[in-house]
Amino acid sequence: MFSLRGCGLCVAASLSKKHLPLARFIGDSAAPVAANFDVVVIGGGHAGAEAAAAAARCGSRTLLLTHRVDTIGQMSCNPSFGGIGKGHLMREVDALDGLCSRICDQSGVHYKVLNRRKGPAVWGLRAQIDRKLYKQNMQKEILNTPLLTVQEGAVEDLVLTEPEPEHTGKCRVSGVVLGPTFVPTFLSSHSQFSSLQALRASYFILIADGSTVHAESVVLTTGTFLRGVIVIGLETHPAGRLGDQPSIGLAQTLEKLGFVVGRLKTGTPPRIAKESVNFSILNKQTPDNPSIPFSFINETVWIKPEDQLPCYLTHTNPRVDEIVLENLHLNSHIKETTRGPRYCPSIESKVLRFPNRLHQVWLEPEGMDSDLIYPQGLSVTLPAELQEKMITCIKGLEKAKMIQPGYGVQYDYLDPRQITPSLETHLVQRLFFAGQINGTTGYEEAAAQGVIAGINASLRVKRKPPFVVSRTEGYIGVLIDDLTTLGTNEPYRMFTSRAEFRLSLRPDNADSRLTFRGYKEVGCVSQQRYERASWMKSSLEEGISVLKSIEFSSSKWKKLIPEASISIGKSLPLRALDVLKYEEVDMKLLAKAIPEPLKKYIKCRELAERLKIEATYESVLFHQQQQINEVQQDEALQLPKDLDYLTLRDVSLSYEVREKLHFSRPETIGAASRIPGVTPAAIINLLRFVKTTQQRQMAMNELPKANQSLCDTESLEERQL
Amino acid sequence: MWRVLWTLVARAARGPRSPRSCTRQGSGAPAPGSGATIFALSSGQGRCGIAVIRTSGPSSGHALRSLTAPRDLPPARSACLRLLSHPRSGEPLDHALVLWFPGPQSFTGEDCAEFHVHGGPAVVSGVLQALETEAQRRQALRQLDGELGHLCHGWAKTLTKALAHVEAYIDFGEDDNLEEGVLEQADSQVRELELALSAHLRDARRGQRLRSGAHVVVAGPPNAGKSSLVNVLSRKPVSIVSPEPGTTRDVLETPVDLAGFPALLSDTAGLREGVGPVEQEGVRRARERLEQADLILAVLDASDLGSPSSCNFLDTVVAPPGAGSPSENSRRLLLVLNKSDLLPPGGPDPRPDLPPHLLLSCLTGEGLDGLLEALRKELAEVCGDPSTGPPLLTRARHQHHLQGCLDALRHYKQTKDLALAAEALRLARGHLGRITGGGGTEEVLDIIFRDFCVGK
């Protein structure tokens, strides 16, 4: 059996500590230097890294507290980023100048856009990522971010003080207490798991204890570490991730504060030695040529398509089903299924729910010089010996050597209806949650929340209004609105089917949706990115109006572009924009037919492509925009934040509705109407209440008008209600 | 104020106005007595001198005031003449007597209002529509049951499934393995749904017929007694000939009330080929009218069934060769053998292939009761029976959304862009959702995860 306690997952330890700039990093032996920060981010996973960097970009002095600096940027599960829906989130994170898209453009080993034939609104930018490179590049980025300090340590408790009277919440967080933390020393600078023996080694040193760090805002991104338990077969071990200690003290603190806690589970497949796989008999998938970068500010990725690595596809077979079914009694992760997710995260659930089928297994490279293969689709929690037995009955894996077993993780999450759309908790002022702690799964979902939490933690310190992305503006908005109004009881993953305004919220236009807001309202966007987005916006607008102005008869178009299937019968003249809607027509073809004035629009590949996309969706977008406006009207109707729904006497509401509103604390009429169980009648009553409150407020605000000095930021904010 | 408030509320209650958003908020009907305001036509269906519309509930006062703006509420329990106009468009609806019964001294104990309007269908439906609020529509629709409810729920189920499968193909088609033919199956389901909807909509002109009258066309060869039949039907005391001048758009078109159903009775030129250009034009019009008819009264001379014109009529109109095809399905026809008084006591000439028919003598009136009963049955089918079917108003809305659903479905597959195609399905589902509710994201995801093995 495996000894799991402290078996570090640093498959290839990337940066040894001596390479880190000392000014940025407070090492294990040093006591905390400046114990005073604007924003403290707890956790160095994908949410934490984005949150810390975003807060720092906004100008806040930020501390990133993590168990181990060398796990910053660690991809604990799949060696890939993006996909359908998730790629959308990454483009939005990038539009706010987040990190993950840029890091992926420097670290990928296989770039492929999914859904190429299904329409640009649902293209899924995706890449296999080199774990080692990603971690290196992410750590380099984090450790070179101005205003951002990184410290190793575990948070044991939160420092709480009196609440600010002008905000809701029963107390305010003002710092964190560091607990004693043991971190494993590095086995060697390049400790790879060449044998299972290596897993057993564990050495710990004590790094910090009992000291307090003062913070104006705190962002909690503890991932699966809150009372995390790892499960293989019938064995369970407390751990947040294979090799890392769970956070138990913090979980207790949160529960004591009154947060409603739930439990979720997730899993990861075993890792296989690359040289033991017979790829020659499997289907090979090659990357795109050219590679499409994730970031708006990159024209290309770091690696040429011909140097990229392939992926391979294999399938399970009836023998796999047999092994799973015969050994269910040895599988506590599966046995304990009380309320599993509706989808199939593990091979066990696939076999149980869809028997007698062949399931796909993608064999993905873990990196350029990695010896490991990640079998995506084979997440499993059987005892390790049985995992190996199962693997070897799969085509191409007959002689496969398992290097690390798959395992399940069970962990606490906090019901996300306890946070606002800015990700601040209702209960504790200035405390923000992001990532898996809110019940999501996936790097991209975590990164998206991280950016928003980091931005808002910083804005809160500056006493500025929160930065909220509406579900009409982005997948980030859909994600956060779903979480905060509906909650979740399975790990929440993004799908494009969740977005009502899918044709408007496309990967290509994330910059025009979010970059300007990020630059103007928040200041989290660099000048360079802002200028690039501005240029693109004006070029698109100009291009569209030029395309609208060029009009010919259909017969003339047919002569100009014989490739297009234009029917000549139409008597009305056609605009160039209409011709561009034809599937077989692109800007290149149009510019060839009408070089003046169109040729200047094909100089930039992205511009030409985006013009084509705008043309494709032009007519539908017009209708969608009307729907968006209606939703936004509802969202403009704000509900007072300090409303006590349980005792409110002026509004006639059923007790059930009161409880629901009390728990979710919707910020707008729009959000309230999306809460299941809140009836239209209740909405009417609320609306009436909001109207009268507004009128009363307006009347009250008439008075201090004479005395302008009274109108500070706070009262202005209130008036906006 | 009332109108604005309700509109806002209805919008809020629907959540994001996306086609699929109806279940997002998942709210149920307001609890009984929780303050909903209801309204209905209180007098009988059909044409009448004065129709009474009643409202009951806390918004009755608002409703009354908004329809009679800028006038204030009339004194309690006394009839006042008011100009009713549409609260939003300001369009005048009718001069009506209105009554205000503040609760609890009212029939229901709640605030009530009564509108005594002129009984024309246009006025009644105009006032009802002005009264109708989104929230109330939703409630009315939630109570939808019966045959149409079953149909709509069935369609909604099919459409949600097709949508879920297309969504699955978009979200999981490349990463996970969906079974072969997912999209093709969705395509064929959408095609079938399109056919079912258009068939129903063709049929569902019934609601409209109940308002404006069913087209009943009397046809037959010359001298079969068509005009006599029209005269008998419009003079018979049980049917009321409309005395209103100018309502007859055509000299040969008479609005009548047949067994309680409004009908437009058309006499047509005898159907025979040849002769002069004027008569030919008459025949052309007759055929055209036959095609538009909701019900055909085919009249033959019972004593002359063997004549070439009778045979021709039987072959081309009564039992045309294509009669079995689906497009002809909805056509209704009653075959009447007139002049039964001329028959010998043994009945008409035995013609074995003669379809079901009624015997009638316009001269003696024999067989008229049987014909009226047959007419009543047919018209109940054509117009829908107001006593059993859902109310007229709801049906108009159903029709509107079913049509919207059908239009959206027709956009599906016009493009290879699957995101656009799915948008058409979402829009279509949204229209059905306004009738049946449901179809929200969670429902779609439930189907995806039930039908496909996806997720990692």
Side-chain angles (χ1 to χ4, degrees), chain B residues 2-13:
Chain B
W2 176 76
R3 181 76 206 185
V4 170
L5 187 69
W6 277 87
T7 313
L8 279 171
V9 163
R11 203 187 309 118

Side-chain angles (χ1 to χ4, degrees), chain A residues 440-483:
Chain A
T440 61
T441 176
Y443 308 148
E444 304 80 359
E445 286 83 353
Q449 293 169 68
V451 171
I452 298 300
I455 288 172
N456 281 307
S458 171
L459 290 174
R460 191 74 163 78
V461 177
K462 297 181 196 162
R463 296 176 174 271
K464 282 190 183 170
F467 179 76
V468 173
V469 179
S470 145
R471 61 188 301 131
T472 63
E473 272 178 312
Y475 278 70
I476 294 182
V478 174
L479 170 80
I480 294 176
D481 184 62
D482 279 352
L483 290 174

Side-chain angles (χ1 to χ4, degrees), chain A residues 406-471:
Chain A
Y407 62 88
V409 186
Q410 298 175 0
Y411 57 97
D412 281 358
Y413 78 109
L414 303 176
D415 189 321
R417 284 173 292 181
Q418 301 169 98
I419 53 175
T420 69
S422 71
L423 302 182
E424 184 174 353
T425 67
H426 294 309
L427 279 173
V428 182
Q429 296 175 353
R430 298 178 177 231
L431 179 64
F432 295 79
F433 291 162
Q436 274 171 301
I437 191 172
N438 288 332
T440 61
T441 176
Y443 308 148
E444 304 80 359
E445 286 83 353
Q449 293 169 68
V451 171
I452 298 300
I455 288 172
N456 281 307
S458 171
L459 290 174
R460 191 74 163 78
V461 177
K462 297 181 196 162
R463 296 176 174 271
K464 282 190 183 170
F467 179 76
V468 173
V469 179
S470 145
R471 61 188 301 131

Side-chain angles (χ1 to χ4, degrees), chain A residues 113-120 123-124 288 290 292 605 609, chain B residues 174:
Chain A
V113 177
L114 304 181
N115 274 353
R116 263 292 186 196
R117 287 169 324 213
K118 296 179 196 165
W123 283 349
D288 284 343
I292 307 297
R605 176 195 62 82
E609 195 175 275
Chain B
E174 299 202 2

Side-chain angles (χ1 to χ4, degrees), chain A residues 28 36 183 253-254 258 328 404 419 431 470 494 533 631 652 718:
Chain A
D28 48 13
N36 222 332
V183 294
T253 303
L254 293 172
L328 285 177
Q404 181 197 308
I419 53 175
L431 179 64
S470 145
M494 185 45 74
V631 173
S652 149
E718 274 173 20

Side-chain angles (χ1 to χ4, degrees), chain A residues 357 482 497 502 617 673, chain B residues 12 24-25 167 171 179 417:
Chain A
R357 287 202 205 174
D482 279 352
S497 32
R502 183 163 60 191
Y617 294 126
S673 70
Chain B
R24 286 212 74 89
Q25 42 84 34
E167 296 280 351
D171 272 333
E179 290 70 40
D417 188 308

